[in-house]
Amino acid sequence: MQTILVVNAGSSSVKFQVFGIEAGRNLKQLIRGGMDGIGVRPRFRATGSDDSLLVDLQYEAAQVPDVPSAVKLAGAWLRETQKFELVAIGHRVVHGGPTYDRPVVVDRNVLANLERYISLAPLHQPNNLAPIRALLERSPELPQIACFDTAFHRGHSDVADHYAIPKHLHAEGIRRYGFHGLSYEYILERFREVAPQLADGRVIVAHLGSGASMCAIGKGRSVESTMGFTALDGLPMGTRSGQIDPGVLLYLLAEKGLTPEAVQKFLYSDCGLKGLSGISNDVRDLLDSKEPSAAFALDHFVYRVALYSGMLAAALTGIDAFVFTAGIGERSAALRARIAERIAWLGAELDPAANAAGALSISRPGSRVGLFVIPTNEELMIAKHVLALLGADRAAERIKTA
């Protein structure tokens, strides 16, 4: 069976899936796996299509110190233990800049262009590009397709897209991009199946994980996002600050004497839930903790989610549905309940029993705003883009040779 490998290299984890291409161009998941706890408690795990365990290994931190080493280890396991007819590899690439608004086959020129955006996504872009670069060297004949987290938001209006800065800077690429677009694209597609009567209405999707953002979707298109020029903006995250007054950065530079590199590390690695609590960037640890600072960090997170809900509702001029997704959104009934309570003024009424059970729909019957929990699947979305792009390329070749 021909297969597509999807690689999703994040800031502190690597996920991958292998999809078989069935008759009728349907995709069947064959393997799902990944490495988390990189540099701390690395664990490599993969399951088959029937959820059977294929591998479950733990490593010392020094054995898997960073994402590139995790990608190398996962790639070696796939080559040594799995025999597939691999036809293409799809990659999640966080930042497509002003150039890329749709998936693209990567060659050396495209890779060089994408390297220009490393400073805009320093936690992600290098990890996204490292396996692409390695495969270009080892297997240049194998098609690699980059799918961008920014692409879903590229249809924003000019008013939403601009900062209040001189236009020549916008032309150079300083604009509000938005991120987590592959997740939002998948959620929208799945939402059309779950609630077709609401999918073309006014929907807020909350992608709440270690990286967190929210998106306003109207008539099936991204209207506004909490993230902007970089993946630092908007909600507080596991270790990232979220929205912050630019004056704070000037103060850190001028008064505290920090270098730009130190400020970057501070904003990406020492803030968010970790900075607020002084304990952990993991919501599970904070929920279990008795420390007042842990409770404060969660209070702050819930408050900011509710605050941005109001902003996004204003962008949509109302709201018909609210969808929770990603690690926190999918797994933390406690935080879903607290957020739902905060946005009750928008017309959301939570069903506590459905929420505790992790049901697909968690709003009370008659709630003016539907509340939903939909697991995301960025890898499947990438595989669909790869399949579509391969089909378009093959059609073009048939036309050329006809």
Side-chain angles (χ1 to χ4, degrees):
M1 177 184 288
Q2 292 185 325
T3 60
I4 294 169
L5 169 64
V6 173
V7 179
N8 185 346
S11 58
S12 60
S13 66
V14 173
K15 295 183 287 185
F16 66 87
Q17 291 192 46
V18 178
F19 296 91
I21 305 173
E22 298 183 314
R25 292 173 61 79
N26 294 318
L27 291 166
K28 178 184 179 182
Q29 182 198 92
L30 302 177
I31 295 177
R32 176 197 293 265
M35 175 85 72
D36 58 19
I38 293 170
V40 183
R41 293 189 298 271
R43 182 182 182 186
F44 177 63
R45 193 171 188 276
T47 56
S49 57
D50 58 356
D51 288 331
S52 59
L53 186 63
L54 301 177
V55 62
D56 190 354
L57 298 171
Q58 292 185 306
Y59 298 87
E60 295 297 324
Q63 292 178 283
V64 193
D66 52 27
V67 169
S69 61
V71 170
K72 185 176 180 180
L73 188 150
W77 179 82
L78 282 168
R79 287 193 303 275
E80 293 166 7
T81 66
Q82 309 300 314
K83 304 302 178 185
F84 295 121
E85 184 186 352
L86 189 61
V87 296
I89 301 179
H91 299 268
R92 176 195 176 208
V93 177
V94 165
H95 217 303
T99 306
Y100 300 104
D101 61 356
R102 65 198 66 192
V104 63
V105 178
V106 181
D107 57 21
R108 295 185 189 283
N109 288 333
V110 170
L111 181 61
N113 285 336
L114 295 176
E115 287 172 337
R116 293 162 47 205
Y117 309 133
I118 285 176
S119 63
L120 305 187
L123 285 189
H124 298 86
Q125 201 85 346
N127 295 333
N128 300 156
L129 301 183
I132 299 176
R133 187 182 303 107
L135 283 162
L136 275 176
E137 293 292 332
R138 188 170 67 240
S139 305
E141 76 288 348
L142 184 64
Q144 296 191 78
I145 287 86
C147 301
F148 303 101
D149 258 348
T150 48
F152 183 67
H153 306 291
R154 288 298 300 277
H156 283 180
S157 69
D158 284 344
V159 169
D161 192 48
H162 277 66
Y163 288 107
I165 57 177
K167 286 189 175 181
H168 72 272
L169 292 173
H170 179 270
E172 291 175 14
I174 302 178
R175 58 186 68 178
R176 293 182 55 81
Y177 290 102
F179 296 87
H180 292 132
L182 291 161
S183 176
Y184 294 128
E185 190 177 5
Y186 174 81
I187 293 299
L188 178 60
E189 186 176 279
R190 182 79 178 96
F191 197 51
R192 292 190 188 283
E193 301 170 355
V194 170
Q197 74 282 9
L198 295 174
D200 286 324
R202 301 164 298 180
V203 183
I204 293 176
V205 182
H207 179 106
L208 307 179
S210 180
S213 73
M214 298 168 68
C215 180
I217 300 175
K219 297 181 180 179
R221 295 178 63 87
S222 174
V223 172
E224 183 58 90
S225 171
T226 58
M227 283 182 170
F229 183 56
T230 70
L232 269 176
D233 201 7
L235 298 173
M237 297 168 241
T239 61
R240 282 173 264 172
S241 65
Q243 182 271 327
I244 191 167
D245 184 337
V248 174
L249 312 186
L250 298 176
Y251 178 84
L252 293 175
L253 291 166
E255 300 298 326
K256 290 294 187 178
L258 269 64
T259 64
E261 293 77 16
V263 171
Q264 176 174 286
K265 181 182 182 299
F266 171 72
L267 294 175
Y268 275 100
S269 304
D270 299 327
C271 295
L273 296 176
K274 176 185 174 183
L276 284 168
S277 68
I279 297 171
S280 174
N281 64 328
D282 193 313
V283 163
R284 293 167 295 187
D285 294 337
L286 300 181
L287 286 169
D288 290 340
S289 175
K290 302 299 183 184
E291 293 295 324
S293 61
F296 178 79
L298 294 176
D299 287 346
H300 182 86
F301 181 76
V302 169
Y303 172 73
R304 299 302 293 187
V305 171
L307 202 65
Y308 275 109
S309 297
M311 181 194 84
L312 297 178
L316 293 167
T317 64
I319 174 176
D320 302 307
F322 189 104
V323 181
F324 293 93
T325 193
I328 299 168
E330 295 169 24
R331 301 186 189 104
S332 180
L335 287 194
R336 289 198 301 264
R338 293 175 61 179
I339 292 166
E341 182 179 9
R342 279 276 192 173
I343 63 170
W345 66 276
L346 288 169
E349 297 181 49
L350 182 74
D351 182 330
N355 181 49
L360 192 62
S361 173
I362 59 171
S363 49
R364 291 185 186 274
S367 176
R368 195 166 76 247
V369 170
L371 297 171
F372 298 87
V373 181
I374 301 179
T376 193
N377 194 334
E378 294 165 315
E379 293 80 25
L380 178 56
M381 199 70 244
I382 292 169
K384 289 183 176 184
H385 282 307
V386 170
L387 190 60
L389 198 55
L390 287 178
D393 284 352
R394 288 170 181 171
E397 286 299 319
R398 286 195 296 271
I399 291 170
K400 288 178 184 178
T401 57

